[in-house]
Amino acid sequence: MAHQALHDDTCVVVPLYNEATVVGDVVRDLRTSFPVVVAVDDGSTDGSAAVARAAGAVVVEHPINLGQGAALQTGIETALRLGAEYVVTFDSDGQHQRVDAEAMVARLRSGEADVVFGSRFLDARTRPGLVKRAVLRAAIVYSNATTGVHLTDTHNGLRALNRRAASTLRIRQNRMAHASEIIEQVGRARLRWVEHPVHILYTDYSRSKGQSVFNAVNILTEMIYR
Amino acid sequence: MLIKLLLLVAIAAVFVLGLRAPSGARHLALRRVTVVVAALVATLSVVFPDAWNAIAEFVGVGRGTDLLLYGLIVAFLLYMVTTYRRFRDMEQQITLLARRIAVDEAVPRPAVPPVPAEEDVTGDDQR
Ligand SMILES: Nc1nc2c(ncn2[C@@H]2O[C@H](COP(=O)(O)OP(=O)(O)OP(=O)(O)O)[C@@H](O)[C@H]2O)c(=O)[nH]1
Ligand SMILES: [Mg+2]
């Protein structure tokens, strides 16, 4: 079937916050295989929304900055309203690969699972810095202990969900603590999940913009005092 | 010393309250009762200033003033934690509101066909 090569039953949700210099390329590249890209702009001040729209994305604009978790929930609800059978979450900073997303959707189509989590630690392609690696390791240990779902990478923005899984998610953690929350809800809803090896690019751009390790403290607080 | 036990219990209670504070009507009622009790205690303290010294001696604190200070610190901690929670709740509401606006603007819902007049008797059946 022609429409399966061109995933027009799939919606790629891209959380977007001040990535005007890269988001255009990210959206254009995605749209070569995924015609429906929903960019959730979160009050960017650098014109990201216009760039994403010009690149062909459906842009959903939060009137104020709410955070990445809130943006994902907004994007997922939009995708469901658009009638998507599959939903992919994909960062707008150019760190994720389109081919990984395609392979993950293919695994959903095969009926193998309801949720495919991307993992950068299933092979040696991804090279995060030393500190980043340590923080991620700690996060993995914590998340696995508290969510009851054992993953090799718990804070990876690349995920694919089928419609049923996407409809069960209710992300309430607005900022960065949503990653564990998603895993917890997937576990609680007894959805079938698998992990898929993905390659995350650490460029100078992503390093200059990515999460400061201090944010780990904020995430921990938000998970305890929710 | 009794005061150590009292303070430790109070601090632990504040921490736990932050995790699962009562919400809604119960919470509001609790806050109001607290205000009334505080006013009452304040009035009594003005009329009987020596009472604090007596209580302080009973629980093992030097002076009534010190006891008051400890109490104030615990009360402040409690205030901090409940305020944090109230802000989180409010943030959640703002999030839902902003999301609704954003999604409706991007993907308008299919227009609902107007309901024939005679079937509209249920009135407020908007959703
Ligand atoms: N909507 C929205 N998106 C955000 C916000 N903060 C970050 N993002 C987006 O979320 C994606 C990932 O953000 P990063 O800050 O790179 O976080 P990360 O990829 O988990 O961390 P690194 O590994 O350090 O890159 C990017 O596409 C950002 O544009 C926000 O407040 N709102
Ligand atoms: Mg990143």
Side-chain angles (χ1 to χ4, degrees):
Chain A
M1 264 199 292
H3 80 264
Q4 293 223 336
L6 198 74
H7 302 270
D8 62 2
D9 55 353
T10 305
C11 180
V12 182
V13 171
V14 178
L16 176 59
Y17 186 55
N18 289 347
E19 310 274 9
T21 51
V22 287
V23 68
D25 288 335
V26 170
V27 170
R28 269 187 296 275
D29 178 56
L30 274 172
R31 291 192 71 242
T32 60
S33 4
F34 298 101
V36 189
V37 174
V38 169
V40 185
D41 180 65
D42 210 7
S44 297
T45 51
D46 65 349
S48 290
V51 175
R53 194 172 279 126
V58 175
V59 177
V60 185
E61 285 179 89
H62 282 171
I64 44 177
N65 181 265
L66 297 172
Q68 197 195 353
L72 286 177
Q73 180 67 34
T74 300
I76 290 170
E77 288 181 17
T78 308
L80 293 173
R81 198 184 274 195
L82 289 169
E85 279 307 317
Y86 303 99
V87 180
V88 174
T89 67
F90 196 99
D91 283 357
S92 59
D93 57 3
Q95 286 187 287
H96 293 162
Q97 321 301 313
R98 187 190 78 235
V99 288
D100 286 337
E102 287 187 89
M104 289 163 75
V105 172
R107 291 184 76 172
L108 290 181
R109 284 189 200 286
S110 77
E112 186 184 352
D114 301 310
V115 182
V116 182
F117 290 110
S119 172
R120 74 200 99 178
F121 295 123
L122 286 174
D123 57 32
R125 281 180 296 172
T126 301
R127 303 184 192 286
L130 261 183
V131 183
K132 184 100 207 167
R133 201 180 194 95
V135 171
L136 284 171
R137 287 279 171 215
I140 291 165
V141 170
Y142 183 87
S143 171
N144 286 350
T146 53
T147 62
V149 177
H150 291 257
L151 298 179
T152 59
D153 186 1
T154 50
H155 287 68
N156 196 310
L158 185 48
R159 318 170 183 84
L161 308 99
N162 63 16
R163 189 175 177 90
R164 184 163 87 88
S167 322
T168 61
L169 285 192
R170 297 278 180 281
I171 304 171
R172 302 188 75 237
Q173 296 283 1
N174 276 4
R175 284 167 294 274
M176 289 297 180
H178 65 274
S180 306
E181 192 184 27
I182 292 174
I183 298 168
E184 190 183 325
Q185 292 183 6
V186 165
R188 208 169 272 162
R190 306 202 173 283
L191 296 166
R192 295 166 306 139
W193 56 268
V194 289
E195 284 192 298
H196 185 83
V198 301
H199 184 194
I200 304 227
L201 282 178
Y202 281 90
T203 58
D204 287 341
Y205 174 79
S206 82
R207 261 186 274 266
S208 72
K209 290 225 38 185
Q211 294 303 303
S212 140
V213 294
F214 291 113
N215 235 343
V217 176
N218 296 335
I219 293 175
L220 199 62
T221 316
E222 279 167 23
M223 285 196 293
I224 296 173
Y225 280 93
R226 44 181 152 186
Chain B
M1 269 196 301
L2 191 53
I3 184 65
K4 283 193 180 171
L5 186 71
L6 285 177
L7 285 177
L8 287 178
V9 169
I11 292 167
V14 166
F15 188 78
V16 173
L17 258 178
L19 298 179
R20 37 169 67 239
S23 55
R26 240 172 83 202
H27 183 69
L28 193 62
L30 223 76
R31 284 179 89 90
R32 290 178 176 167
V33 169
T34 312
V35 170
V36 173
V37 170
L40 223 80
V41 171
T43 315
L44 288 176
S45 312
V46 173
V47 183
F48 308 106
D50 290 336
W52 281 105
N53 280 330
I55 301 171
E57 202 174 324
F58 178 72
V59 296
V61 179
R63 299 180 306 160
T65 327
D66 293 343
L67 183 60
L68 264 179
L69 179 65
Y70 298 158
L72 194 64
I73 290 170
V74 171
F76 181 67
L77 278 179
L78 186 68
Y79 178 77
M80 252 170 61
V81 170
T82 52
T83 307
Y84 176 81
R85 284 208 64 106
R86 272 155 51 96
F87 269 105
R88 292 284 305 236
D89 289 350
M90 207 182 304
E91 191 187 271
Q92 194 62 38
Q93 292 174 325
I94 292 174
T95 300
L96 295 180
L97 190 62
R99 175 170 300 137
R100 181 64 179 274
I101 293 170
V103 177
D104 279 353
E105 210 172 58
V107 191
R109 291 177 192 236
V112 183
V115 185
E118 69 266 26
E119 281 181 28
D120 202 15
V121 281
T122 42
D124 58 351
D125 178 37
Q126 294 274 306
R127 37 192 1 255

